[in-house]
Amino acid sequence: KQPRFASTNLDNILTWETEADIPPGTLFDVQYKQYGDKTWLSKQECQGITQPFCNLTRETENFTEHYYGRVRA
């Protein structure tokens, strides 16, 4: 829940919170899109991951644009 971008040293990391009672082995899938786009794109390296973060620096490197990120458990 509550996905958000954290930008540190020019890296854009999507982070999210997990529930306290999340089952062990829960996998996450991350998607992103640029503001105004209709289609969500999957970040291939962040499909079926277990950690609550994903590096989207390459996908969001144009700092003049706005981006959305979402995650599914």
Side-chain angles (χ1 to χ4, degrees):
K1 63 183 185 177
Q2 298 182 356
R4 62 184 159 273
F5 283 97
S7 296
T8 306
N9 296 329
L10 300 176
D11 284 336
N12 296 322
I13 311 297
L14 183 70
T15 63
W16 56 91
E17 297 177 16
T18 58
E19 298 290 334
D21 59 348
I22 190 168
T26 298
L27 301 177
F28 302 103
D29 296 324
V30 174
Q31 293 183 316
Y32 65 95
K33 70 176 183 173
Q34 188 173 324
Y35 180 78
D37 287 352
K38 294 182 183 194
T39 305
W40 287 91
L41 303 170
S42 294
K43 169 73 172 181
Q44 289 309 117
E45 295 84 355
C46 296
Q47 302 298 297
I49 59 174
T50 56
Q51 70 271 15
F53 61 88
C54 174
N55 187 330
L56 289 170
T57 301
R58 261 190 306 198
E59 293 75 15
T60 60
E61 62 189 359
N62 185 346
F63 64 89
T64 64
E65 297 294 337
H66 297 276
Y67 297 93
Y68 293 105
R70 71 180 181 183
V71 64
R72 179 180 61 183

